[in-house]
Amino acid sequence: MQSRLSLFVKVFMLMVSFLLFGQTIDAGTQDLNLLREDIEKIVKEQLYGAEVSISVRQKNSGRLIYSYKGGQAIKPASNMKLLTSAAALDVLGNNYRFKTQLFTNGKITNGFLKGDLYIRGEGDPTLMKEDLEWFAGKLKAKGVHTVEGDLFGDDTWFDSELLTPGIVWDDEPYYYAAPITALTTSPNTDYDTGTVIVDVSTGSVDTPPTVKVTPYIGEMEIINKAKTVKETDANTLDITRLYKSNQIVISGNLPIGKTGREWITVKNPTIHTLSMFQSVLEEAGIQFINGHTLKVMKTPKKVTLLAEKRSMPLKDIMIPYMKLSNNGIADILVKTMGQVEKHDGSTKAGLKVVESYGKSLKLDMKAWDFEDGSGMSHKDSVTSNALTDMLYKVQKEKSWYQTYYTSLPVAANAERMIGGSLRNRFKEPLTAGKVIAKTGSLNAVNTLSGYVQADSGEWYIFSVLVQNKEDTIPDIDKIVTTMAKEL
């Protein structure tokens, strides 16, 4: 009788385990031993000398089934955006739209505006030259052809700090370290805010190559020291911006038939936007007279609203932001959360909002340390166990989780706004389309965290964080492929 009861208890426990965890305890233990051996072999042989933290949970239950130094803090790089994005969607909502407004303190009489124009931004990362042309069209539709006054840019929605604390001086010229203001523009629909695109093409041998700046050069200055060389010569072209200056320097040799392209940051996005808007107004036939100036100034209270433009909703911005790992949008979201929640458009205030959201999820915020929302800072750190815990808990956010999940890159999908930063990874049939995850990269740091469907059909949450070793992406991919094969 006792043996029958014992057998009944064992069968009952196996059934409960299957219902709760999607696999039996015995089978799971056997599979996990093999998984552990194979993953740790990769770590010891391929990642020797690196700091590694790995965590795997069941997607449905959140049960931690495997951890290799899962409590060790590692630099997350752009995996930091996983928490920033969740907080932004929760605080701002799917349908949040960034606002840009055009005001005047004057009056329009017979096509003559006697007074100043104020363009006020609230951090729209999707604002482009075409939108400034839309504002010009609205002004033109009111009959305005002459302005006697100044053009002001109001970027006071955010603080005056252009860069987050983790940006180092030699990163500043490039799009991934763009300065942030509340009145900024992007050169394309990737929304690389605060940048211009510099294209270089060859002339004849021994002559300077041709330089084109998109969408507008404005107050920026081109210093072209480059030279066109023979087709067989080495390509040493370099495109950068001198530190704390408006000078874009083109240097080196560009062989016949070759081209060069770089996304270069502007020194101050508000000034650049103002300069471009002035040009757009003039192109639309609206002239300034009597020596007007461009200034940054808060919009006064007694003004008239001429036009207002709102961005696409946040749920749509999430796609280029997360798929392409856009640091500028991450920084803008942090400052926006600070302004909306604390009336303080600073990174510091915004990060307090991010931390509060983490606490509301009952995350262990002691496992997180961050000084930005993008992951650019080398002072950011988190454990892999904390990341998988967060990725499990955000699934319960019914109002926006599908937006969040859809924004993650999809392995081996060639469509840029689907595959994103994973479009050229995990191309094997076992993993193609079955790894949905956020990438991260810094100097000597590579990370990957998200969801994976195993060969068994079950879904798992994983995080693999590696630092202090270069070029570890292939090894991370081997680890995740091993999970897919053996779980």
Side-chain angles (χ1 to χ4, degrees):
M1 183 70 178
Q2 187 175 3
S3 62
R4 288 183 180 180
L5 181 60
S6 178
L7 178 61
F8 173 81
V9 170
K10 287 183 179 180
V11 171
F12 177 77
M13 291 301 295
L14 288 172
M15 290 176 65
V16 169
S17 175
F18 180 81
L19 290 172
L20 290 177
F21 307 125
Q23 62 184 40
T24 65
I25 292 173
D26 291 344
T29 302
Q30 183 180 5
D31 290 343
L32 292 178
N33 285 337
L34 178 61
L35 179 74
R36 182 178 297 107
E37 289 175 6
D38 288 347
I39 287 179
E40 292 177 13
K41 182 179 180 182
I42 296 170
V43 171
K44 291 175 183 177
E45 294 181 0
Q46 306 299 320
L47 295 172
Y48 178 79
E51 294 180 75
V52 181
S53 183
I54 304 171
S55 179
V56 184
R57 296 179 189 270
Q58 290 179 322
K59 186 175 184 291
N60 291 334
S61 70
R63 178 192 177 203
L64 183 65
I65 62 170
Y66 174 70
S67 173
Y68 176 84
K69 297 184 179 180
Q72 180 173 344
I74 301 284
K75 299 170 188 177
S78 283
N79 276 201
M80 181 62 212
K81 294 184 178 76
L82 290 166
L83 179 59
T84 302
S85 302
L89 285 168
D90 191 73
V91 171
L92 304 175
N94 262 323
N95 295 313
Y96 183 86
R97 294 174 187 263
F98 296 89
K99 186 167 58 178
T100 308
Q101 298 168 307
L102 183 65
F103 298 94
T104 185
N105 60 358
K107 291 184 179 180
I108 301 170
T109 305
N110 297 324
F112 187 87
L113 172 59
K114 186 175 178 61
D116 302 315
L117 286 174
Y118 296 82
I119 183 166
R120 180 179 182 273
E122 292 188 2
D124 183 2
T126 72
L127 195 70
M128 299 175 66
K129 184 182 180 184
E130 291 84 348
D131 299 307
L132 299 180
E133 291 169 344
W134 179 87
F135 278 112
K138 289 293 184 182
L139 198 57
K140 191 77 173 177
K142 294 180 184 295
V144 176
H145 54 71
T146 305
V147 178
E148 183 181 2
D150 294 324
L151 178 59
F152 295 103
D154 182 351
D155 60 6
T156 55
W157 185 250
F158 292 162
D159 68 358
S160 59
E161 293 294 326
L162 300 184
L163 299 171
T164 55
I167 303 298
V168 295
W169 72 271
D170 55 347
D171 284 331
E172 285 190 30
Y174 307 108
Y175 72 97
Y176 51 81
I180 299 300
T181 71
L183 184 60
T184 185
T185 48
S186 296
N188 58 13
T189 53
D190 287 357
Y191 305 122
D192 295 311
T193 182
T195 70
V196 293
I197 301 173
V198 180
D199 285 296
V200 183
S201 54
T202 52
S204 57
V205 173
D206 292 331
T207 66
T210 301
V211 180
K212 177 186 177 184
V213 177
T214 306
Y216 177 73
I217 189 169
E219 79 291 1
M220 307 297 287
E221 179 185 358
I222 296 293
I223 308 296
N224 189 356
K225 299 179 180 180
K227 184 172 69 172
T228 302
V229 295
K230 296 177 182 178
E231 185 178 358
T232 54
D233 289 345
N235 186 347
T236 60
L237 184 73
D238 183 66
I239 307 171
T240 190
R241 176 170 65 85
L242 291 184
Y243 183 55
K244 292 188 175 181
S245 83
N246 285 327
Q247 294 183 329
I248 299 173
V249 178
I250 320 293
S251 61
N253 296 332
L254 184 65
I256 288 285
K258 299 292 184 180
T259 60
R261 167 174 280 193
E262 188 64 79
W263 281 252
I264 295 294
T265 59
V266 299
K267 182 182 178 183
N268 185 299
T270 299
I271 296 297
H272 190 76
T273 300
L274 271 181
S275 176
M276 181 157 54
F277 189 38
Q278 174 187 259
S279 175
V280 164
L281 289 170
E282 291 173 351
E283 287 173 2
I286 300 172
Q287 299 297 318
F288 287 82
I289 61 172
N290 296 339
H292 77 286
T293 58
L294 302 178
K295 296 180 182 178
V296 179
M297 183 179 292
K298 185 176 178 64
T299 305
K301 292 182 179 180
K302 293 183 179 181
V303 289
T304 301
L305 179 65
L306 297 173
E308 177 178 292
K309 189 166 185 61
R310 293 178 179 254
S311 72
M312 66 181 75
L314 180 57
K315 63 184 177 183
D316 294 334
I317 295 174
M318 287 291 295
I319 296 299
Y321 160 46
M322 289 291 276
K323 298 289 186 183
L324 306 180
S325 200
N326 189 308
N327 291 338
I329 295 178
D331 292 335
I332 283 172
L333 288 174
V334 169
K335 289 193 173 190
T336 302
M337 284 187 276
Q339 180 59 254
V340 168
E341 288 291 291
K342 297 182 177 295
H343 307 292
D344 180 356
S346 68
T347 297
K348 186 176 180 180
L351 291 179
K352 287 181 179 178
V353 177
V354 173
E355 184 176 19
S356 295
Y357 171 71
K359 289 178 179 177
S360 76
L361 269 190
K362 293 184 168 52
L363 301 181
D364 177 12
M365 296 311 294
K366 292 180 181 179
W368 296 79
D369 191 13
F370 43 85
E371 65 174 11
D372 64 16
S374 67
M376 271 291 287
S377 174
H378 281 269
K379 291 185 179 180
D380 296 342
S381 67
V382 67
T383 69
S384 61
N385 281 347
L387 268 169
T388 57
D389 182 42
M390 186 209 71
L391 287 169
Y392 168 68
K393 289 176 177 174
V394 294
Q395 295 177 112
K396 300 176 183 179
E397 304 281 12
K398 301 301 182 184
S399 64
W400 53 258
Y401 175 70
Q402 191 56 47
T403 296
Y404 182 85
Y405 182 79
T406 303
S407 75
L408 298 177
V410 178
N413 192 307
E415 177 60 44
R416 197 160 173 265
M417 291 300 175
I418 298 177
S421 54
L422 280 182
R423 61 190 179 276
N424 294 316
R425 292 169 65 177
F426 297 105
K427 292 186 175 182
E428 303 84 355
L430 175 66
T431 50
K434 298 176 183 178
V435 178
I436 318 294
K438 183 72 197 73
T439 57
S441 294
L442 287 173
N443 291 337
V445 178
N446 288 115
T447 59
L448 187 67
S449 302
Y451 306 92
V452 59
Q453 185 179 34
D455 197 36
S456 63
E458 295 293 321
W459 281 89
Y460 295 87
I461 303 169
F462 73 90
S463 177
V464 184
L465 312 176
V466 182
Q467 69 182 19
N468 296 339
K469 193 178 180 75
E470 299 284 357
D471 304 322
T472 60
I473 288 175
D475 308 308
I476 290 175
D477 290 0
K478 285 180 185 178
I479 290 171
V480 177
T481 300
T482 300
M483 294 176 191
K485 182 180 179 181
E486 298 180 3
L487 284 171

